[in-house]
Amino acid sequence: MSNAFVRTETDEDGIAVVVIDRQDKLNALNADVIAALGDTFAALRGSSDVRGVILTGAGNKAFVAGADIAELAEMDPLSGIRVSRAGQQVFRAIEQMPRPVIAAVNGFALGGGLELALACHLRTASSRARFGLPEVKLGIIPGYGGTIRLPRLVGRARAIEMILTGDMIDAAEAHRIGLVNHVHEPDVLLDETRALMTRMLANGPIALALALESIDHAAATHPDAAAQLESDLFGLLAGTGDMREGMRAFLEKRPAQFTGR
């Protein structure tokens, strides 16, 4: 599964590696890349062979170094709204994937690139990675969900500082503030990210999907409503073969063999 800007390979373990490949522009997002990401993740969501997704950038310089400024410079108010909403829709679809999605940030993740990483469930980073939302330096604001997701992840005050200064932070600082989960040397980033994904995929696939649904729902819901959904999903899992297998395996002191049923 691939096109001019986004290519995908799925291994025998069901881990799909999605690579944004526009190296001459440091993998910058334009309308074509956004559309390709939307098509790619829609196909991955519909594939029974895919159990988890790792998203990264081609080359060793950038994950995604931002949006395509030449394209943004042509915006008027109405097209600006359309550009923002198109990106928001694709990034929200990534955030709502029922399988784990990890951004392996291999270089610059700036502007729309950081917003894309924020839409993934987890982030790992190369020690050379750099992060930032520099939009105010261009007279605009983040438009793909950055003002929403960054404060939820790192806290309001840190997010305000990053957004209003437009300053970059390095991988160590991103890890310290909780923006990324793990930092690795560049040559082992993908291997270590794959190992993290493998640990997740050893667990019940229905449980993973419903855990992600509950977490996503809770982010924008009153705690009482979030707790009610959590209970409902907990109850649904009690009717699955995976739950019975997981409980039996624990009692029998053996690894569980989940089937997704």
Side-chain angles (χ1 to χ4, degrees):
M1 184 192 309
S2 61
N3 54 52
F5 298 120
V6 179
R7 49 186 168 84
T8 305
E9 292 184 2
T10 303
D11 67 19
E12 60 186 10
D13 296 320
I15 299 174
V17 178
V18 177
V19 181
I20 300 171
D21 192 350
R22 197 181 176 218
Q23 291 189 62
D24 60 321
K25 299 293 185 181
L26 294 179
N27 303 326
L29 302 175
N30 62 10
D32 291 336
V33 177
I34 293 289
L37 283 170
D39 292 343
T40 296
F41 275 88
L44 293 172
R45 186 184 186 107
S47 173
S48 59
D49 295 329
V50 174
R51 302 171 60 217
V53 181
I54 297 171
L55 176 64
T56 194
N60 56 16
K61 293 182 179 179
F63 172 72
V64 170
D68 191 317
I69 305 304
E71 188 175 271
L72 294 185
E74 301 300 318
M75 293 186 303
D76 59 28
L78 289 179
S79 64
I81 291 172
R82 287 195 295 269
V83 165
S84 174
R85 289 183 178 168
Q88 287 177 351
Q89 182 178 10
V90 171
F91 289 12
R92 182 65 176 139
I94 294 172
E95 189 173 45
Q96 290 183 307
M97 281 283 287
R99 295 139 194 174
V101 181
I102 304 176
V105 181
N106 54 307
F108 290 109
L110 304 176
L114 176 51
E115 292 177 290
L116 176 58
L118 290 169
C120 298
H121 299 134
L122 297 174
R123 287 146 296 282
T124 59
S126 159
S127 58
R128 297 177 185 170
R130 297 294 182 269
F131 302 83
L133 292 174
E135 284 87 349
V136 293
K137 295 178 183 293
L138 301 172
I140 57 174
I141 66 171
Y144 294 156
T147 64
I148 302 162
R149 294 187 179 98
L150 187 63
R152 291 176 180 170
L153 188 63
V154 305
R156 178 183 170 90
R158 287 193 182 101
I160 288 174
E161 181 176 348
M162 287 184 67
I163 292 168
L164 297 192
T165 64
D167 290 346
M168 283 193 295
I169 61 173
D170 62 18
E173 178 66 4
H175 182 260
R176 188 187 73 81
I177 66 176
L179 178 54
V180 302
N181 293 74
H182 303 282
V183 177
H184 303 289
E185 290 307 306
D187 59 337
V188 298
L189 174 63
L190 276 179
D191 287 343
E192 293 290 346
T193 304
R194 190 184 298 274
L196 174 61
M197 179 68 78
T198 299
R199 295 202 302 276
M200 295 179 186
L201 298 183
N203 301 307
I206 304 175
L208 295 180
L210 296 190
L212 288 170
E213 180 179 342
S214 186
I215 292 165
D216 183 70
H217 181 74
T221 308
H222 187 278
D224 291 343
Q228 181 175 339
L229 177 66
E230 183 184 67
S231 294
D232 291 344
L233 297 176
F234 183 87
L236 283 174
L237 286 164
T240 65
D242 275 358
M243 186 278 281
R244 290 187 291 276
E245 165 61 12
M247 299 289 181
R248 279 197 303 267
F250 178 83
L251 294 172
E252 295 169 5
K253 296 181 173 57
R254 60 173 175 81
Q257 301 295 320
F258 295 112
T259 62
R261 295 186 177 87

